[in-house]
């Protein structure tokens, strides 16, 4: 029976640490598995070496124990007598190796060997199991380099075998059929963010509104009015309209019925890339429903003579032009008032103009939306009196069922004591949106068997409820209960109602929240700065639909959301590389917020017909945390648009953006880091986390329905995709992502333990001697302990400054566990609907309960990973302001602790930590506020 073997193909490495003193490395790899060791060739003077070498290892134990370890070294000059320097290591558990060959390269990050190792880069490998075959000839043995002889473990040379063919299943008398893959690997290189160099600032107007987008030239034609036109209808009038043609671009004004002096006042904008030829043809026609339109006159313009206008120049005044006749069609009469000029998207006529790439449809133009103001409605149900049960012979066990709008239904607990005057003292929370047109409907009910019996009800207009901005008590009231169809009173209920404006009503996940201000505007702090976003365009979008003539097509538009302000760009018809070049601005009130930009395919374009679905499809989205942006710096990058499909993570194209965060006062921005992230009401009168999640879903639905009713609408599926409606849904992929995030955080602790083990084993004598000296100094002078720690963290942070990220964070496929999908059935489970359609009733109940519990575990793991990643971000310069604050604090603490006796510091710190609750403030402390604003990897997970 053939035995399995482990096949390892060492492809290449990238972004290695330079070690030869000349900005490069002479790198090679040493592979070690079960006492078998191999070594690649040395690639000289390269930080991105390529080996393309294959090695095979025998499996003595077929149960696949242990792990494969690959160490990357830099070969130093043998004449110096110094050994090779370490570049990183990779440890691969055997239970993660595939059971068949793969054509895709998987990239493994290089890990440190000790605490002081300075490592970076990735190693590209192909690893799989194969069956041993009898060689047809004597294999060629591969020699090893001289350094192999210095290795402590004996080297076993394994012959190089040719790459096995792709596995197929053979069927009798038929062609081989490839097996369906059970796993999926994608190229991470396709998912990287790329820096772009657009030509910015040439479309600038007087107010500098377009300095983050590229110059786009348009031919503007303003058709104002006409006079003295010829009458073509039997009633002595005409139904005139104007037709414009520039090359292949045609457009028409509206029809003015029964008028010889029509007024249109419409503007047309034709993109320079759509202009073909050198002339503009404008004609006037009489619309006729029963026969061909009648010609009323026309004009021809040479585009080379059209003037160029740049704001803030005054608008070009329209002029009267005499209409001319076509050759052989007789005389015409009348004049038309026009204005024609070349301009850019900064022209004030551009937003309301007809666009050559959008058409004369308001639904496809750019639009700004605003979310409704949301309030928390608190209903405190105190008690009821004089309830009349349906059965006079027993005491009721009532509860409250409250309705607000069609979707918010909340039930209270059953009264603790059976009585006609029950007591609850329970708060019921709702989300209400301005204007307050809804009614709060409360029903006092009792369950009798399987039937719910209404004991009484009351309807209260939300607009009549008192508003408050703090925790002051509001007066309670008694409301009379009645019952539909009954005559007479059914008792009364005691309520305390309030609209709480001191909270921030969340309509999006707290992981990437875009606004933290309370509802009440009088509690808002001054703005900290301005966020500017330039949406340039998209590249290489995939076809999203098929038109009536069986062509692949994409009609793309962008939606950006920050705070209460939503913006939507115009729709570009039938383009896989649309160019919008639109710029938008938001006020910033918190540096820890996130802006979300999504790209969608418009399914409501006029050429599709009536058989297309009515929901716009998402192409992808990106999120950018503002705290990771340096002030007054313009970031221009192309971000990959990634979506999760049942077949894995797929790249749908790239989105080019320009982002700038302008800060009015750096001191105020720094001060925001130590302020509580949420308004004070969240800490003085906190809400239950489960209750907050229920209210978030209600708020999200309210926002989606309100924006859907706008004109033109921002569709519900768009809002839900931007607000991550299904962020809490169970996903094996997200759970693995959070698990590996935790492991990444814990790897630092493991590195410290390994480093300490190396110190104890004298693997590095110089380091061990230095640690001994440091230990003696700290024991002899204990007051140097804390200054040394803070000074060391300051030095690490200062050293990491040169390695800080040069681009804002983006959707990371590798971090999202999309680079390698172990089992496609996991994705099928992720996209499975709830309730499950493939299970019986009992199994379905258990499965959904398991998913609910697993979803909470998933979010708990994510919160734990977030805390660890925030600790790591203190010195990583991911948030440049936070790292600057922290290392300044470390330097200050090092100096203060140096001059202050250690015993005094220890006593003061202990007394402060153990202080009496009377001296504690319900607001979170300054260090916790600072820590809560630090960035994590949570906003980079798909």
């Amino acid at each position: 029976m053939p035995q399995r073997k482990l096949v390892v193909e060492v492809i290449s490495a990238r972004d290695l640490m330079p070690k030869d003193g000349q900005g490069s490395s002479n790198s090679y790899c040493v592979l070690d598995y079960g006492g078998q060791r191999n070594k690649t060739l040395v690639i000289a003077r390269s930080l991105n070496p390529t080996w393309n070498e294959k090695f095979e290892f025998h499996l003595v134990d077929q149960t696949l124990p242990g792990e494969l370890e690959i160490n990357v070294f830099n070969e130093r000059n043998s004449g110096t007598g110094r050994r090779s320097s370490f570049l990183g290591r990779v440890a691969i558990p055997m239970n993660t190796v595939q059971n068949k060959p793969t054509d895709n390269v998987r990239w493994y990050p290089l890990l440190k060997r000790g605490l002081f190792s300075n490592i970076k880069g990735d190693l590209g490998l192909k690893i799989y199991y194969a069956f041993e075959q009898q060689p047809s000839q004597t294999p060629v043995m591969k020699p090893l380099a001289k350094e192999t002889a210095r290795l402590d473990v004996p080297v076993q040379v394994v012959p190089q075998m040719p790459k096995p063919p792709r596995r197929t299943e053979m069927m009798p008398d038929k062609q081989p059929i490839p097996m369906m893959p059970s796993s999926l690997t994608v190229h991470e290189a396709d998912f990287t963010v790329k820096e772009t160099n657009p030509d910015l600032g040439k479309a600038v107007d007087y107010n500098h509104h377009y300095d983050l987008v590229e110059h786009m030239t348009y031919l503007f034609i303003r058709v104002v009015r006409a006079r003295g036109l010829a009458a073509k209808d039997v009633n002595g009038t005409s139904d005139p309209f104007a037709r414009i043609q520039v090359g292949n671009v045609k457009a028409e004004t509206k029809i003015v019925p029964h008028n010889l002096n029509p007024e249109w006042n419409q503007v047309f904008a034709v993109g320079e890339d759509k202009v073909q030829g050198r002339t503009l043809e404008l004609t006037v026609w009489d619309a006729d429903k029963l026969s061909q339109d009648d010609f009323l006159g026309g004009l021809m313009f040479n585009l080379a003579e059209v003037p160029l206008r740049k704001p803030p120049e005054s608008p070009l005044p329209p002029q009267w032009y005499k209409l001319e006749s076509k050759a052989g069609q007789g005389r015409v009469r009348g004049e038309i008032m026009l204005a024609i000029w070349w301009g850019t998207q900064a022209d004030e006529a551009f937003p309301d103009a007809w666009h050559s790439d959008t058409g004369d449809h308001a639904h496809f133009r750019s639009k700004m939306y605003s979310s409704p103001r949301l309030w928390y409605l608190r209903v405190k149900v105190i008690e009821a009196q004089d309830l009349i049960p349906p059965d006079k012979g027993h005491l009721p066990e009532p509860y409250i069922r409250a309705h607000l709008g069609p979707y918010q239904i909340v039930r209270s607990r059953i009264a603790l004591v059976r009585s006609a005057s029950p007591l609850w003292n329970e708060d019921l929370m709702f989300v209400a949106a301005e204007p307050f047109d809804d009614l709060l409907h409360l029903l006092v009910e009792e369950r009798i068997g399987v039937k719910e019996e209404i004991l009484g009800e009351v309807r209260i207009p939300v607009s009549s409820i008192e508003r408050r901005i703090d925790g002051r008590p509001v007066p309670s009231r008694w409301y009379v209960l009645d019952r539909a169809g009954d005559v007479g009173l059914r008792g009364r209920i005691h309520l305390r109602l309030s609209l709480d404006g001191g909270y921030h009503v969340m309509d999006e996940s707290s992981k990437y929240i875009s606004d933290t201000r309370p509802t009440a505007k009088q509690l808002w702090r001054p703005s900290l700065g301005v966020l500017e976003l330039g949406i340039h365009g998209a590249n290489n979008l995939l076809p999203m639909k098929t038109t009536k003539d069986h062509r692949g097509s994409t009609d793309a538009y962008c939606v950006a959301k920050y705070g209460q302000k939503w913006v939507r760009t115009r729709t570009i018809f039938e383009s896989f590389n649309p160019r919008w070049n639109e710029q938008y601005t938001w006020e910033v009130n918190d540096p820890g917020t996130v802006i979300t930009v999504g790209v969608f395919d418009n399914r409501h374009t006029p050429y599709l017909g009536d058989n297309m679905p009515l929901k716009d499809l998402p192409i992808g989205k990106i999120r950018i945390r503002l705290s990771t942006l340096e002030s007054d710096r313009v970031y221009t990058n192309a971000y990959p648009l990634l979506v999760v499909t049942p077949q894995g993570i797929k790249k749908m194209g790239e989105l080019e953006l320009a982002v700038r965060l302008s800060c009015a006062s750096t001191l105020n921005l720094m001060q925001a880091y130590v302020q509580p992230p949420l308004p004070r009401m969240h800490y003085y009168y906190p809400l239950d986390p489960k209750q907050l999640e229920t209210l978030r879903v209600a708020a999200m639905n309210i926002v989606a329905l309100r924006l859907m009713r706008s004109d033109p609408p921002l569709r519900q599926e768009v809002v839900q995709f931007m607000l991550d409606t299904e962020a809490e849904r169970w996903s094996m992929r997200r759970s693995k992502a959070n698990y590996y995030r935790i492991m990444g955080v814990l790897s630092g602790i493991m590195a410290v333990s390994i480093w300490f083990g190396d110190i104890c084993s004298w693997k590095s004598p110089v380091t061990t001697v230095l640690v001994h000296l440091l230990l003696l100094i700290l024991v002899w002078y204990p007051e140097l302990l804390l200054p040394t720690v803070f000074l060391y963290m300051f030095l690490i942070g200062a050293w990491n400054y040169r390695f800080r990220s040069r681009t804002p964070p983006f959707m990371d496929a590798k971090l999202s566990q999309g680079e390698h999908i172990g089992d496609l059935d996991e994705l099928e489970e992720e996209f499975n609907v709830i309730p499950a359609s493939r299970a019986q009733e009992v199994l379905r109940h258990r499965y959904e309960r398991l998913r609910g519990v697993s979803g909470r575990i998933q979010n708990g793991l994510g919160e734990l990973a977030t805390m660890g990643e925030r600790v790591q971000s203190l010195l990583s310069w991911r948030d440049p302001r936070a790292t600057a604050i922290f290392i300044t604090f470390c330097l200050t603490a090092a100096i203060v602790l140096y001059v202050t006796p250690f015993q005094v510091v220890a006593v003061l710190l202990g007394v402060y930590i153990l202080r009496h609750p009377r001296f504690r403030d319900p607001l979170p402390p300054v260090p916790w506020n600072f820590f809560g604003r630090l960035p994590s990897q949570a906003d980079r997970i798909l």
Side-chain angles (χ1 to χ4, degrees), residues 724-850:
D724 288 296
T725 307
E726 300 176 347
E728 306 300 323
R729 185 178 62 180
W730 160 256
S731 167
M732 181 68 73
R733 178 183 56 82
R734 289 196 189 99
S735 298
K736 291 195 299 183
N738 289 333
Y739 169 76
Y740 285 114
R741 288 170 59 198
I742 293 177
M743 295 305 296
V745 173
L746 297 179
S747 64
I749 301 176
M750 297 175 61
V752 172
S753 62
I754 294 174
W755 168 78
F756 186 73
D758 293 343
I759 294 298
C760 296
S761 61
W762 287 77
K763 284 192 174 181
S764 177
V766 175
T767 306
T768 304
V769 171
L770 291 176
V771 170
H772 277 78
L773 292 176
L774 180 62
L775 176 62
L776 293 176
I777 293 174
L778 294 180
V779 169
W780 195 261
Y781 301 101
E783 64 272 12
L784 295 180
L785 177 61
L786 291 180
T788 303
V789 172
F790 283 108
L791 182 61
Y792 180 67
M793 286 192 290
F794 167 78
L795 294 176
I796 292 178
W799 176 265
N800 288 339
Y801 175 77
R802 60 177 183 154
F803 303 114
R804 69 191 187 280
S805 176
R806 303 292 181 176
T807 60
F810 59 97
M811 299 298 191
D812 196 325
K814 182 178 180 180
L815 183 66
S816 306
Q817 290 299 300
E819 184 188 26
H820 179 78
I821 304 297
D823 190 352
L824 292 181
D825 184 64
E826 295 177 2
L827 288 176
E828 193 277 332
E829 180 186 18
E830 182 175 344
F831 282 88
N832 195 11
V833 296
I834 296 180
S837 59
R838 298 185 180 181
Q840 298 178 0
E841 295 295 328
V842 176
L843 295 178
R844 180 174 61 189
H845 172 72
R846 294 177 179 175
Y847 178 66
E848 292 166 1
R849 180 175 61 186
L850 174 62

Side-chain angles (χ1 to χ4, degrees), residues 70 124 156 190 234 238 276 439 451 578 598 709 733 816 842 860:
I70 304 177
Q156 179 176 346
D190 295 336
V234 294
S238 294
Q276 299 178 0
L439 293 176
K451 183 180 179 182
R709 294 201 296 263
R733 178 183 56 82
S816 306
V842 176

Side-chain angles (χ1 to χ4, degrees), residues 264-275:
W264 296 288
N265 199 24
Q266 290 181 246
V267 181
F268 301 85
V270 181
E272 186 180 26
D273 57 331
K274 300 272 196 320
V275 175

Side-chain angles (χ1 to χ4, degrees), residues 156-369:
Q156 179 176 346
V157 181
V158 181
Q160 295 287 320
M161 300 297 293
K163 185 177 180 180
R166 183 183 297 273
R167 293 175 56 193
T168 58
E169 291 182 353
M170 299 299 297
M171 300 183 63
D173 302 328
K174 292 186 178 181
Q175 296 294 328
I177 300 176
M179 294 181 63
M180 293 299 294
S182 61
S183 62
L184 179 68
T185 304
V186 291
H187 293 284
E188 185 192 4
D190 295 336
F191 299 154
T192 57
V193 65
K194 303 172 184 176
E195 188 171 355
T196 59
N197 294 297
D199 193 8
L200 304 181
K202 291 192 175 180
V204 180
D205 64 358
Y206 180 73
N207 295 317
H208 301 279
H209 289 165
Y210 289 88
D211 60 338
L212 292 184
V213 292
E214 293 180 304
H215 170 93
M216 294 183 70
T217 302
Y218 287 88
L219 175 65
F220 289 91
I221 306 103
R222 180 187 296 275
V223 183
V224 184
R225 62 173 66 93
R227 64 186 179 188
L229 298 179
K232 295 292 184 179
D233 296 339
V234 294
N235 56 5
T237 62
S238 294
D239 304 322
F241 68 94
R243 180 178 297 162
I244 296 170
Q245 181 171 355
V246 182
N248 295 327
V249 178
K250 297 180 181 179
E252 296 179 352
T253 65
K254 60 186 179 183
I255 299 174
V256 182
H258 313 303
N259 200 321
L260 298 180
N261 301 289
E263 184 169 346
W264 296 288
N265 199 24
Q266 290 181 246
V267 181
F268 301 85
V270 181
E272 186 180 26
D273 57 331
K274 300 272 196 320
V275 175
Q276 299 178 0
R278 300 180 180 178
T279 58
L280 161 68
E281 180 180 347
L282 186 143
T283 54
V284 184
W285 301 81
D286 170 45
D288 199 327
K289 297 181 179 179
L290 301 179
S291 61
Q292 188 176 5
D293 296 338
D294 297 319
F295 179 74
L296 298 179
L299 293 168
M300 294 285 291
F301 294 91
N302 186 354
L303 298 181
E305 300 177 357
V306 173
L308 174 66
R309 177 187 175 241
K310 293 183 178 181
E313 295 178 355
S314 301
L316 201 66
Q319 301 180 22
W320 286 102
Y321 295 89
K322 185 176 181 181
L323 294 175
E324 301 175 357
S325 62
K326 292 185 178 180
Q329 294 193 8
R331 298 177 59 83
V332 298
R333 60 188 179 90
E335 297 177 309
I336 187 170
M337 180 179 283
L338 303 171
I340 306 174
W341 70 94
W342 291 100
T344 67
Q345 71 268 37
D347 199 294
E348 62 268 16
F350 182 77
D352 298 324
W354 176 96
H355 300 143
S356 55
D357 51 8
T358 301
D360 191 17
H361 301 276
H363 286 64
F364 307 135
R365 295 177 184 170
S366 57
K367 176 75 175 179
M368 188 189 76
Y369 302 86

Side-chain angles (χ1 to χ4, degrees), residues 608-627:
L608 293 178
D610 299 330
N611 58 345
M612 294 298 296
L614 296 180
K615 288 188 175 181
D616 293 349
L617 291 182
I619 300 178
K621 67 183 172 186
I622 66 169
R623 292 187 287 259
I624 300 176
R625 186 172 292 274
L626 270 58
S627 61

Side-chain angles (χ1 to χ4, degrees), residues 363 604 614 616 707-708 713-720:
H363 286 64
H604 299 77
L614 296 180
D616 293 349
L707 295 181
M708 182 67 183
L714 188 62
R715 305 200 172 272
Q716 185 173 1
E717 63 271 15
V718 174
V719 178
Q720 291 177 347

